Amino acid sequence: MTERSRYPYSHDMARVREFDTEAALEAAMSAFRRRGYEGTSIQDLVDATGIGRGSLYAAFGSKEGLYLAVMDRYREQYAVPLIELLDSGAPARDLIRAVLVGVVDEVVRDGERLSCLIVSATTERLPHDPEVAKRVRATTTSLEDALVGLIGKAQKSGQVTPDRDARDLARFLLTTVHGLRVMGAINTDRGSMMRVVEVALGCLD
C-alpha cells in the first residue's frame, strides 16, 4: 500500500496548507477591518493574503469561514490579553485607566483608522449571522465579567465607589471602550478622547 493510498487526503491537505495560516489571518483581518465584511470581496482577500482563491476556500470553506477564523484570531490578540491584564491583581483604577488610555493610543497610532472588528461585526453581521453573534457575545461577556470581578474587588477595598452596581459600571466602561474606537475613526484628536477617559474614570469615584 502506498503512502498516498493509506492517507488519501494528505497530499491535498499539504497543498492547502502551503501558506502561513497566521500571516493569512492577519492580512485578512486588516482587509475586513478596513472595508467591513460586505465591502471585502474574495478578490480583495486573495490580494491581501497572496493566497489563491482555491486554497482560501479549501482552508476556510468560504468567505464567512475565513471571517469567523479572523474573529477568533482577533479575540486571541485583543480580548484574551485584556482579560488577563484585568485579572493581574494590579490596582483597579490603574488597570482601568491603562485600558482606556491604551485604546486612545492605539486609535491615534492607527493611520488607516481600522475599525474594531467587534464593533463592525456587531453593526454589520450580528443581526442576521448567528455564528458571528455567538462570537461577539462570548467575547463581550468575557470582558464584562472580567471587569465585574475587578470592580467588585475594588469596591470592597474602597478603590471604587460602592454606590453603583459593579455590572452597570463594567457595561459603561465597555461602552466607553467601543465608543472611543468609533470616535477615533471620526477624529483622532487625542485630547478630545482623553477628556472622555477622564469623565469615565470620574464615574468610579
Side-chain angles (χ1 to χ4, degrees):
M1 182 180 292
T2 66
E3 187 70 16
R4 182 176 179 84
S5 62
R6 287 177 58 207
Y7 303 102
Y9 301 107
S10 61
H11 292 265
D12 294 335
M13 289 298 292
R15 282 198 296 272
V16 168
R17 295 299 182 185
E18 283 176 356
F19 59 83
D20 185 332
T21 303
E22 291 192 1
L25 289 175
E26 289 295 323
M29 184 187 300
S30 293
F32 283 127
R33 291 182 68 189
R34 188 176 298 112
R35 302 184 182 93
Y37 180 84
E38 296 297 340
T40 304
S41 67
I42 288 294
Q43 188 58 50
D44 290 331
L45 295 168
V46 168
D47 293 341
T49 62
I51 299 166
R53 186 179 301 236
S55 293
L56 281 178
Y57 278 123
F60 300 103
S62 63
K63 174 183 167 182
E64 182 181 7
L66 177 53
Y67 186 71
L68 294 176
V70 164
M71 288 198 70
D72 291 339
R73 177 71 171 168
Y74 191 80
R75 173 186 169 87
E76 291 173 7
Q77 281 192 338
Y78 293 94
V80 172
L82 184 53
I83 291 168
E84 292 173 350
L85 175 65
L86 294 172
D87 197 36
S88 65
R93 296 181 72 92
D94 292 346
L95 285 174
I96 293 169
R97 182 180 181 82
V99 168
L100 296 176
V101 173
V103 171
V104 171
D105 288 342
E106 181 185 348
V107 169
V108 171
R109 285 195 305 267
D110 177 19
E112 295 185 79
R113 300 190 181 184
L114 298 178
S115 68
C116 168
L117 199 61
I118 296 299
V119 173
S120 62
T122 298
T123 56
E124 188 179 15
R125 303 294 300 166
L126 188 144
H128 48 79
D129 190 324
E131 288 300 317
V132 168
K134 181 169 67 176
R135 283 165 170 79
V136 168
R137 289 178 178 131
T139 298
T140 302
T141 299
S142 296
L143 287 167
E144 181 182 307
D145 288 344
L147 278 167
V148 170
L150 175 68
I151 292 168
K153 293 176 183 176
Q155 286 176 324
K156 291 178 181 178
S157 64
Q159 297 179 59
V160 172
T161 177
D163 297 336
R164 294 188 175 92
D165 180 76
R167 191 162 295 277
D168 289 344
L169 282 172
R171 288 173 176 166
F172 168 73
L173 290 171
L174 270 182
T175 301
T176 302
V177 166
H178 294 319
L180 285 169
R181 292 189 184 281
V182 173
M183 181 180 177
I186 300 168
N187 180 5
T188 55
D189 178 62
R190 191 177 192 278
S192 297
M193 287 186 283
M194 283 303 301
R195 286 191 288 275
V196 173
V197 169
E198 296 304 327
V199 171
L201 291 173
C203 293
L204 302 177
D205 295 331

